[in-house]
Amino acid sequence: MITATVTGNVWSTRHVEGIPPGAFLEVQIDGTESRLVAFDVLGTGVGERVLIAQGSVASGWFTGPPPPVDALVIGSIDATPNK
Amino acid sequence: MITATVTGNVWSTRHVEGIPPGAFLEVQIDGTESRLVAFDVLGTGVGERVLIAQGSVASGWFTGPPPPVDALVIGSIDATPNK
Amino acid sequence: MITATVTGNVWSTRHVEGIPPGAFLEVQIDGTESRLVAFDVLGTGVGERVLIAQGSVASGWFTGPPPPVDALVIGSIDATPNK
Amino acid sequence: MITATVTGNVWSTRHVEGIPPGAFLEVQIDGTESRLVAFDVLGTGVGERVLIAQGSVASGWFTGPPPPVDALVIGSIDATPNK
Amino acid sequence: MITATVTGNVWSTRHVEGIPPGAFLEVQIDGTESRLVAFDVLGTGVGERVLIAQGSVASGWFTGPPPPVDALVIGSIDATPNK
């Protein structure tokens, strides 16, 4: 997984079938200038730090026909880590 | 997913069996000089910004035998994002 | 697989369903400055060197519904290698 | 997918079971100095430009038990593109 | 696939269940300084050049439950290529 910070939303009115309920979030990967788009089902907002799983496991998490998403926000990272 | 801009078509008359109806589009990944080829079933044109899913989820989106495509245009990005 | 050294824990109280028992560990990939988060079921501690498998094989290792994890600590690397 | 140019063959007499009929081709990825090895079932020759699919979709294209190949030449790119 | 040269063994006494018979080999990817660990079932030795498949196809090659390995030595590259 990678850690990243949400920087915005990506809107796509015209898209293929099979996109589940949720949002496309643009995120910046921690420690880099790289950005990617992750699918979110948790209602995550801009500025939150998140944990993202990539590849077919993102799609495989959904029940029903696997949607064509290759990155999923699997959690919001706790603001005060109790290390 | 990644965001990218369509830069052209790739034509392949001699190819393996199992390529579904659609087009191979050359795209440039946003914020980079990198290019890749994504499969498109939406009739996307040169210059459009798109959202691309990569890996086996691209192939898994199709019904029937999974085609050998590892990148799929899953949506056209709205020109005027209503953030 | 890659070899890496565990540098800390990542805590996520608010997460999607289907995360199995275990821990999210932040690791630094050997020979690089790159970090990623791997799932651990071995009780690995900070400072240990580990072997990590990435991608869907990480998820496929689990019995039951495949969890949305894309990196798994598959072993602790022996401190005194008997090469 | 990526576009690449075939630069040579790779021969492996001693290999695991399950390699299908075809050839291992060394290719150079367009616009880079990077090389990889792709499996070819089209009889592609040195110097040809090809379209390559990577990952499990390469293996999944084959009928029968999935072979351990992670890159497949899915087409030869037309020399005179009719853009 | 990638070509690489075997540089050593990686030993892991404490590991998850489901690792098949074979060895973890450290390899250096040809033309780079990058290293990774590949699983070997061919008895390959240090110094040999090998062909490596990565991702879920490495795991899918095995019969029985798919092991958590994401890179497999699929062949030893012939020392005298008959190009």
Side-chain angles (χ1 to χ4, degrees), chain E residues 18-54:
Chain E
I19 308 293
F24 289 110
L25 299 182
E26 187 185 60
V27 304
Q28 180 163 351
I29 301 172
D30 285 1
T32 78
E33 295 296 310
S34 298
R35 284 165 191 245
L36 61 81
V37 176
F39 198 77
D40 179 58
V41 297
L42 293 169
T44 308
V46 171
E48 279 192 66
R49 280 188 72 226
V50 292
L51 199 52
I52 295 173
Q54 292 178 276

Side-chain angles (χ1 to χ4, degrees), chain D residues 69-81:
Chain D
V69 301
D70 63 8
L72 178 70
V73 175
I74 64 168
S76 182
I77 297 176
D78 294 2
T80 316

Side-chain angles (χ1 to χ4, degrees), chain A residues 31-79:
Chain A
T32 78
E33 295 296 310
S34 298
R35 282 163 193 246
L36 60 82
V37 177
F39 198 77
D40 180 56
V41 296
L42 293 170
T44 307
V46 171
E48 279 191 68
R49 280 188 72 227
V50 291
L51 198 53
I52 295 173
Q54 293 178 276
S56 61
V57 306
S59 178
W61 178 79
F62 293 88
T63 51
V69 301
D70 63 8
L72 177 70
V73 175
I74 64 168
S76 183
I77 297 175
D78 294 0

